[in-house]
Amino acid sequence: DPGTNSRSGATPNPERWATTWTVDTIFRFTANTPGTQMINALTALNGYDSSAIHFSHQSGMDIDLHVDVSTWNNGNGVVSAAEQYVADTAVSLVLNTTPDVFISRILLSNQDILGEINRQLLALGRSPVAAPDFSGGHQTHLHIDVYPSGRVNGQELVGDFNLDGVADLLDFELLTRQLGGDASLYDLAGDPQAVDSADQMEMATGVLGLLPGDANTDTVVTLLDFDILAQHFGGPATWGEGDFNGDGVSDLLDFDVLAQNYNQAAPTAVPEPLSIAVLAAGAAGCGRRRRG
């Protein structure tokens, strides 16, 4: 409530909107979880205003779940009863999503709770989803990312980051914009610490079937790609700036890669290429840390 720092339930939260499947997941979760659960925030009605406070609150797909005040710390290596309850609650949420929806990440600051969540999930044969916020910004709540499943014949489609049922250059753009940022949804190279050039390399060659050297993603390696490499030669680079071996720089190694594939076309076609200015824009937005 304004001016009181307390929650009576009398003041509606403006960030109380969500997709129907997020709401259904909340109902299913609360019906199967002991105790009373408090939702701190979802997103604003139009989705965009939430980003003024919560950079990672995507429209209708994020939940801030309140935790007991006694757990508002970074942990001390021993799981208390209150921390155990929070961990059990988080696992219950993962297990009680609606069909074709999954929890992609639970962001929190308490290391005791984080470890217990992932321990339980691994024991159940599930992938760990708890991720740390070392700044302490998530001591008062769990930030939960809810996502619909992108599936092909029952399997997750690798590289389909916008969940439209196909992995294409639009997904390549999304990954590029995440360079240097959170890897919970964009890790393709098996290094979940951050999205990097290795992930971009795997997306370009392993998923899209592009030839190394095809900086502008038009499916053929030409002088246009050489010009792009030359413009960024000797400095930090993305795929769209001449880094074709995934080491994060544009140098002679990348020139050799381009030369080996010069005038060659990719064996499989990919969708209409995006603007190289867009693909090279990873440096503009990818360094910003996500908060929520």
Side-chain angles (χ1 to χ4, degrees), residues 25-258:
T25 291
I26 292 172
F27 281 129
R28 182 168 175 169
F29 151 65
T30 54
N32 291 281
T33 306
T36 301
Q37 308 302 327
M38 180 185 294
I39 306 300
N40 286 358
L42 300 170
T43 56
L45 176 59
N46 65 9
Y48 299 106
D49 289 341
S50 292
S51 64
I53 301 174
H54 302 127
F55 282 115
S56 62
H57 276 232
Q58 303 179 70
S59 297
M61 299 192 295
D62 294 274
I63 303 168
D64 278 353
L65 183 65
H66 179 77
V67 298
D68 186 79
V69 66
S70 66
T71 70
W72 292 8
N73 53 69
N74 287 336
N76 62 3
V78 179
V79 180
S80 68
E83 290 171 336
Q84 185 68 55
Y85 175 76
V86 174
D88 293 346
T89 299
V91 171
S92 179
L93 178 59
V94 173
L95 299 179
N96 283 289
T97 58
T98 55
D100 296 324
V101 168
F102 69 99
I103 303 300
S104 64
R105 182 181 63 164
I106 299 176
L107 189 63
L108 67 158
S109 298
N110 187 302
Q111 304 301 298
D112 298 337
I113 299 173
L114 185 153
E116 179 61 16
I117 292 172
N118 287 339
R119 185 196 68 77
Q120 289 191 37
L121 291 175
L122 287 169
L124 294 169
R126 304 290 291 265
S127 298
V129 297
D133 170 17
F134 294 115
S135 73
H138 288 85
Q139 290 184 347
T140 63
H141 65 281
L142 305 180
H143 170 90
I144 298 153
D145 292 324
V146 186
Y147 264 75
S149 297
R151 298 180 183 275
V152 175
N153 297 325
Q155 299 298 316
E156 296 298 330
L157 180 59
V158 175
D160 179 21
F161 302 122
N162 63 2
L163 303 173
D164 64 355
V166 61
D168 56 20
L169 289 176
L170 294 175
D171 300 295
F172 191 29
E173 176 191 357
L174 289 175
L175 185 148
T176 298
R177 290 180 180 275
Q178 291 293 323
L179 287 172
D182 175 29
S184 61
L185 296 177
Y186 295 89
D187 176 39
L188 294 177
D191 177 16
Q193 298 305 311
V195 183
D196 56 22
S197 292
D199 298 306
Q200 195 181 38
M201 177 75 175
E202 177 61 26
M203 181 69 182
T205 60
V207 178
L208 297 180
L210 297 173
L211 283 176
D214 182 13
N216 64 1
T217 67
D218 64 356
T219 75
V220 61
V221 181
T222 66
L223 189 60
L224 295 175
D225 303 299
F226 174 79
D227 288 342
I228 292 171
L229 187 154
Q231 291 170 16
H232 299 91
F233 191 83
T238 66
W239 175 281
E241 297 168 330
D243 173 29
F244 307 125
N245 63 358
D247 63 1
V249 297
S250 177
D251 54 21
L252 284 175
L253 295 175
D254 301 296
F255 175 80
D256 290 342
V257 170
L258 187 151

